[in-house]
Amino acid sequence: MSPLPRPRATLASLAAELKVSRTTISNAYNRPDQLSDSLRERVLATAKRLGYAGPDPVARSLRTRKAGAVGLVITEPLTYSFSDPAALNFVAGLAQSCEEFGQGLLLVAVGPNRRVTEGTASVLAAGVDGFVVYSAAGDDPYLQIVLQRRLPLVGVDQPKDVPGASQVGIDDRAAMRQIADYVVSLGHREIGLLSMRLLRDRHLGVVGPERLHASTFHVQSERIHGVRDAMAAVGLDPESLTVVESPDHTATSGGLAAQLALEANPRITALMCTADVLALSAMDHLRGHGKYVPGQMTVTGFDGVPEAMSRGLATVSQPSLQKGRRAGELLRRGDVNPTVEVLDTELIRGRTAGPPA
């Protein structure tokens, strides 16, 4: 018969072996300044010999009621956090803040490829001290689950006015109005607008008034209204704006949306986009079909991501990195009174906007 396995070493058994208190063992791992070097070395050497791995982090979190981590809820596919340049900058800023405060960062997977029951379980099981919700729809099913946890919460960009939550964002309508004023001042009267999705379904196509009115993605609808405001200010009919919605953030998404916009209104001379990734894709599509920017078509973006800046895109630069840092700082502060922070943006005129051909 094989020998019985040795019982798993515990904090108590290690303390008994060394004839010291359990507090002494705990201090060897968590508060080494409380022990002499020789005693700590003896504790760690004995722990290694007995196979003791250290205090149980789960048990410690139950005692301290601190998990030492921030939960980041992104309702897009998990890969979006690492592929979309603006989202990547935001995550980097949040990670910087977490590192500064000695916290971990947990990505809570609740994207569209998971069943709601699975995503709900992930939110409820997340061992975190608070949540940051990034750019979620106002009717997102996980928002109520996050609120159910009764932990500190910071929303970034959208949705707005979440009860008890702090908010970090920009004035999307005013920022888009600024670049739209610029496009209109160049003489453009037939304008197409390529937008990220307005509702949680996967719609690709021209957007009618009903869908725009029903939008649950505040950021996109506010940017659309910013363009409509600029048109109305010079006597153009806002209803003449051709809006095409794209559900994805791939390298071809803007090109497909641009094609649909030009099919709907061949007279378009300017394609404005609610994100740089759409604008860059649209430019590639136009060039592939013999249309050059800005000679034959004006194209503008929004975000100010590195590739857009290097290609001279006319865009609005927003502080995505700073959004992440401020979200982490507000969450750490845990104010009883929610804080709303509106960060500044900058119009970048670039080289891709000119008068109509």
Side-chain angles (χ1 to χ4, degrees):
M1 296 179 61
S2 60
L4 293 174
R6 186 172 63 183
R8 179 177 177 270
T10 64
L11 186 147
S13 65
L14 181 59
E17 174 79 13
L18 289 166
K19 295 181 173 57
V20 297
S21 69
R22 285 184 289 183
T23 300
T24 298
I25 304 299
S26 179
N27 284 343
Y29 289 88
N30 301 318
R31 303 178 64 191
D33 58 302
Q34 300 297 305
L35 304 181
S36 66
D37 291 342
S38 60
L39 177 56
R40 183 169 185 264
E41 289 174 4
R42 188 157 62 92
V43 170
L44 296 180
T46 306
K48 182 178 181 180
R49 176 170 58 82
L50 297 180
Y52 176 66
D56 185 349
V58 175
R60 183 167 64 247
S61 68
L62 289 174
R63 290 193 302 272
T64 64
R65 296 185 178 274
K66 292 292 183 183
V70 169
L72 173 58
V73 178
I74 295 183
T75 57
E76 298 296 332
L78 197 56
T79 53
Y80 170 78
S81 308
F82 305 99
S83 60
D84 182 88
L88 183 60
N89 278 343
F90 163 76
V91 174
L94 181 57
Q96 287 178 9
S97 177
C98 290
E99 189 170 34
E100 184 177 320
F101 291 117
Q103 294 177 307
L105 180 59
L106 174 67
L107 286 176
V108 183
V110 294
N113 296 327
R114 303 196 75 185
R115 294 194 299 270
V116 174
T117 52
E118 294 175 336
T120 297
S122 295
V123 174
L124 292 175
V128 297
D129 299 317
F131 287 99
V132 172
V133 175
Y134 179 68
S135 202
D139 62 344
D140 191 89
Y142 299 111
L143 185 59
Q144 292 305 314
I145 307 301
V146 170
L147 291 170
Q148 183 180 321
R149 293 288 305 272
R150 297 185 179 277
L151 293 172
L153 170 63
V154 176
V156 178
D157 288 340
Q158 55 191 352
K160 305 284 187 181
D161 303 321
V162 177
S166 290
Q167 183 80 28
V168 179
I170 61 173
D171 188 336
D172 290 280
R173 189 166 186 159
M176 197 71 177
R177 166 73 187 268
Q178 189 178 20
I179 194 168
D181 283 339
Y182 173 53
V183 169
V184 170
S185 74
L186 292 171
H188 295 280
R189 297 297 180 264
E190 300 287 345
I191 300 173
L193 180 58
L194 313 184
S195 171
M196 295 297 192
R197 59 188 178 139
L198 299 173
L199 295 167
R200 289 192 297 114
D201 58 7
R202 313 300 294 177
H203 175 70
L204 170 63
V206 176
V207 175
E210 298 82 6
R211 188 170 180 86
L212 177 58
H213 180 73
S215 173
T216 56
F217 281 94
H218 175 88
V219 165
Q220 301 305 315
S221 58
E222 283 292 278
R223 292 180 189 176
I224 293 171
H225 284 300
V227 178
R228 289 165 63 97
D229 290 345
M231 294 174 66
V234 295
L236 298 176
D237 180 8
E239 298 298 331
S240 69
L241 177 67
T242 303
V243 180
V244 175
E245 178 183 2
S246 174
D248 298 312
H249 313 85
T250 68
T252 60
S253 298
L256 292 173
Q259 180 177 332
L260 291 175
L262 291 170
E263 288 173 356
N265 181 7
R267 300 182 304 279
I268 287 174
T269 59
L271 285 172
M272 302 187 66
C273 304
T274 64
D276 286 345
V277 291
L278 292 178
L280 295 171
S281 174
M283 286 170 58
D284 292 340
H285 173 84
L286 292 169
R287 184 173 62 248
H289 288 76
K291 284 199 172 189
Y292 294 93
V293 176
Q296 295 170 280
M297 182 72 66
T298 280
V299 177
T300 68
F302 198 107
D303 284 331
V305 303
E307 184 181 356
M309 305 300 280
S310 67
R311 291 179 62 175
L313 181 67
T315 187
V316 173
S317 177
Q318 65 164 321
S320 298
L321 189 76
Q322 188 181 354
K323 280 184 184 179
R325 288 192 59 86
R326 288 302 296 147
E329 289 164 2
L330 289 175
L331 194 68
R332 175 73 176 181
R333 204 164 70 187
D335 290 343
V336 175
N337 297 319
T339 300
V340 176
E341 290 204 8
V342 180
L343 306 180
D344 293 332
T345 59
E346 180 185 1
L347 172 63
I348 307 295
R349 295 178 185 271
R351 301 188 301 272
T352 61

